Amino acid sequence: HFNIDPPPRDESDAMEKDEMEEVEVPEEEEFLAETNESDEDAPDEDWEDPDEDAEVNEDYPLISKQAREFACNVFDLEKLPGNAELLYLSAGKVGANLAGGHGLGYDDEFICGNIVKCRWALSDCEFCREMLEQLHQQTGEASYAQLAEDSRKLADAVRDRIARLRKRVWWSSH
């Protein structure tokens, strides 16, 4: 019941198409020369990517591994009483927020966003610790106490990372 045929073309449309076909495409080399950045915009040979600076992100591989292991251990818990989804969600968000901050980078323009993501990771880590401590008190299971301790250690590592990143904020170094 819909009219799906293309609209009729008049002579002016046909002429425009013919004119478009006559336009010459620049040679590949000329085209590439036009699209390349000028030498002024090229990065300086001495420029170093701050994301590659070991002093800045030396703790990221370790802390991300620690967050991943913590989340996997929480995900392995079975038959959690209460609202287990919140615990699972928060445990997974710790590593996700750390990765998000790392992905933002360590340049002056982005380091504050990185710190915010780390603070979100810390908040989720603290939530997990509190929930795991409550589960341990309710059930007496040692696995909850162990995970609460793992969460405490992870939170300490995140706090250290935040402190290290804050030292690199542009206004604190001038």
Side-chain angles (χ1 to χ4, degrees):
H1 77 290
F2 292 104
N3 183 6
I4 58 171
D5 293 329
R9 296 176 44 134
D10 62 8
E11 289 181 31
S12 65
D13 289 341
M15 289 184 71
E16 287 178 16
K17 182 179 180 191
D18 291 340
E19 289 174 3
M20 288 176 25
E21 290 174 359
E22 293 175 15
V23 175
E24 290 185 31
V25 177
E27 294 290 323
E28 185 175 334
E29 292 175 14
E30 292 175 24
F31 179 72
L32 291 175
E34 291 173 6
T35 59
N36 283 342
E37 294 180 5
S38 68
D39 290 338
E40 296 172 5
D41 295 335
D44 185 10
E45 290 177 11
D46 296 332
W47 181 81
E48 291 183 21
D49 186 358
D51 295 352
E52 300 300 321
D53 185 359
E55 181 183 330
V56 176
N57 64 7
E58 67 184 336
D59 63 335
Y60 179 73
L62 179 64
I63 199 168
S64 65
K65 181 181 178 190
Q66 194 176 355
R68 185 174 50 253
E69 289 173 354
F70 172 72
C72 288
N73 290 335
V74 169
F75 295 157
D76 287 341
L77 292 174
E78 294 179 6
K79 299 178 184 173
L80 286 172
N83 198 352
E85 292 82 23
L86 287 176
L87 179 61
Y88 293 146
L89 178 67
S90 291
K93 284 173 44 182
V94 174
N97 281 315
L98 290 171
H102 181 69
L104 286 173
Y106 302 87
D107 276 335
D108 287 347
E109 300 89 29
F110 305 109
I111 197 159
C112 290
N114 191 333
I115 293 168
V116 167
K117 289 286 208 172
C118 289
R119 292 193 54 169
W120 290 352
L122 178 61
S123 177
D124 282 311
C125 197
E126 290 293 336
F127 175 81
C128 288
R129 181 190 53 77
E130 290 171 7
M131 193 165 182
L132 288 162
E133 286 174 348
Q134 288 176 4
L135 288 171
H136 174 67
Q137 289 174 355
Q138 290 172 1
T139 64
E141 287 193 38
S143 60
Y144 297 140
Q146 180 58 50
L147 283 172
E149 183 58 30
D150 292 347
S151 180
R152 181 176 285 109
K153 290 176 185 174
L154 180 56
D156 289 342
V158 174
R159 277 189 203 89
D160 291 345
R161 179 171 175 74
I162 291 169
R164 197 170 17 266
L165 291 174
R166 282 184 174 155
K167 289 179 184 175
R168 298 204 36 103
V169 174
W170 64 269
W171 63 77
S172 66
S173 62
H174 291 112

